[in-house]
Amino acid sequence: MAEPTLSLKYSTLREHIGYMLGFGRTSGSWTSNESADINYVLDRGLAMFYHPEPLPGEGNVAHEWSFLEPETTFQIWPTTTYTASGDPDGGTTLTATAGSTDFITGTTMVGKTITFTTSGNTYTVASVSSATVLITTGSMSGNTSGDTFKITSDGNYNLPDDHGGFAGDGRIHYAEDDNSFYSMEITSSSRVLSSRQLNVGSVGPGNRPSLAAERPTNARSATQSTRSELMVWPAPTGTYTLHYRYHALQDALTSDLFPIGANQHSETILEACLAAAESHIGDNQGNHNQRYMRLLSASVSRDRNAFAAHKLGYNADRSEGSGGRRRYFESATYNGVEYFGD
């Protein structure tokens, strides 16, 4: 599908910013310092648009753009045993026998403990390269091909690097193939910890988690800032695929791409960049900032109307039904498949 021709991309925005800063529109004539100034202003302008200040009359609640809240999938998993393929001794690459249970790619296994059955040696997962290959933080020794090892799950899973918080209806949903009639409620980390303390996870419905919480991790370093992890209760006894919406953090534009939202909000994005340029020149808010705020209000209204739900579903009165957590633990079996839900 062709992009609407009125959408502004990276190169066009830089041309407008260059002209505003007095450098001209021709990128080939910019000095390295001028180009750096343009990139700085572009980053600030996009940040202003992606994370706008609250509109006048809306208190301290800022708008969250619908196009920055995509749906994604995420896998949670139990403590799992694998068989090593190839000699892991002396290196950091660990390969599991193909055809057995796969590693979970992405960030969810990073930081978890690997324990070899025979030697008892333990290592930490640094990264997962594929469904059968992972990298450890240190060299392995005293282990051979055919050894079994386990990766321990503690019910906490690193969320992706671009995760900026959950969005949507406050629930995390299971995949259809997981045969679950209920979703996970997003709650506080304190409530999850309290449920773990009570040690009643064994009565869960096949140990499909019913509670989830997000909390920050102490993972700040020279190469990354704050990250988050997903806590679940009860701990899963199988691998499940979760569906949810989240606030997607954005990278700076570094090539001739379109900014997210440019197909409907190019003029607002442009004015955000020009307002940033205006501030960069004289450290003040002038005409471009005023126009940006007017366009921002219109863009917010358009975004709310475009993605608002027309129906919210049946408003059932369940006040006389059975309450409490017990409803999550009831199951029914049909054609040999067990289903859980209320």
Side-chain angles (χ1 to χ4, degrees):
M1 179 179 176
E3 181 69 17
T5 55
L6 289 179
S7 297
L8 300 180
K9 63 166 65 173
Y10 172 77
S11 57
T12 310
L13 290 170
R14 294 181 83 235
E15 290 170 3
H16 283 285
I17 295 169
Y19 183 78
M20 177 74 183
L21 295 177
F23 305 150
R25 297 184 184 275
T26 305
S27 60
S29 65
W30 298 333
T31 67
S32 59
N33 286 339
E34 290 170 345
S35 184
D37 276 355
I38 291 169
N39 290 337
Y40 172 82
V41 169
L42 177 61
D43 290 347
R44 301 287 69 74
L46 289 177
M48 285 171 57
F49 174 72
Y50 290 149
H51 306 286
E53 62 184 84
L55 293 174
E58 297 195 0
N60 59 358
V61 179
H63 181 66
E64 299 283 357
W65 298 109
S66 59
F67 48 82
L68 293 182
E69 296 181 345
E71 181 182 319
T72 191
T73 59
F74 184 82
Q75 287 187 304
I76 58 175
W77 46 277
T79 296
T80 308
T81 299
Y82 304 87
T83 301
S85 173
D87 188 359
D89 193 42
T92 59
T93 300
L94 180 56
T95 303
T97 302
S100 60
T101 304
D102 291 339
F103 296 142
I104 308 299
T105 56
T107 60
T108 181
M109 281 188 163
V110 173
K112 302 308 181 189
T113 300
I114 303 166
T115 306
F116 277 85
T117 305
T118 301
S119 66
N121 293 337
T122 60
Y123 309 95
T124 302
V125 178
S127 63
V128 178
S129 304
S130 70
T132 57
V133 179
L134 62 76
I135 306 299
T136 59
T137 55
S139 296
M140 296 171 283
S141 62
N143 313 292
T144 61
S145 177
D147 280 355
T148 58
F149 62 92
K150 69 178 180 181
I151 302 179
T152 302
S153 170
D154 56 4
N156 303 324
Y157 306 92
N158 292 323
L159 288 162
D161 290 342
D162 70 338
H163 183 90
F166 289 107
D169 62 357
R171 305 194 74 82
I172 297 175
H173 305 278
Y174 285 95
E176 182 178 356
D177 292 343
D178 288 335
N179 296 324
S180 181
F181 282 0
Y182 67 91
S183 304
M184 264 192 277
E185 176 187 349
I186 299 176
T187 184
S188 66
S189 59
S190 176
R191 186 178 174 197
V192 172
L193 291 173
S194 177
S195 297
R196 290 177 179 177
Q197 176 185 331
L198 295 174
N199 197 27
V200 295
S202 60
V203 302
N207 278 33
R208 288 174 174 83
S210 58
L211 296 179
E214 176 184 356
R215 70 177 176 185
T217 63
N218 189 22
R220 185 186 64 176
S221 69
T223 58
Q224 69 177 39
S225 59
T226 306
R227 295 293 187 271
S228 298
E229 66 181 359
L230 176 69
M231 308 168 63
V232 301
W233 176 88
T237 55
T239 298
Y240 300 111
T241 300
L242 309 179
H243 294 253
Y244 60 86
R245 290 176 59 205
Y246 73 108
H247 301 293
L249 303 177
Q250 300 300 305
D251 292 324
L253 290 181
T254 56
S255 59
D256 206 19
L257 301 174
F258 291 95
I260 301 294
N263 57 342
Q264 294 190 34
H265 307 284
S266 275
E267 196 69 12
T268 308
I269 294 172
L270 172 60
E271 281 302 322
C273 292
L274 296 182
E278 193 173 52
S279 177
H280 185 66
I281 294 172
D283 195 23
N284 57 39
Q285 296 180 342
N287 292 334
H288 285 291
N289 185 76
Q290 294 175 20
R291 186 163 190 266
Y292 164 63
M293 292 303 296
R294 292 195 299 269
L295 289 171
L296 176 64
S297 179
S299 286
V300 167
S301 176
R302 186 179 303 116
D303 189 57
R304 287 171 175 168
N305 291 333
F307 293 94
H310 298 288
K311 293 185 178 180
L312 298 178
Y314 175 59
N315 185 17
D317 178 7
R318 299 182 179 178
S319 60
E320 296 181 359
S322 60
R325 186 167 301 280
R326 181 177 178 274
R327 67 180 185 275
Y328 294 120
F329 302 153
E330 297 173 352
S331 65
T333 302
Y334 178 73
N335 284 344
V337 178
E338 190 174 18
Y339 297 88
F340 301 94
D342 47 356

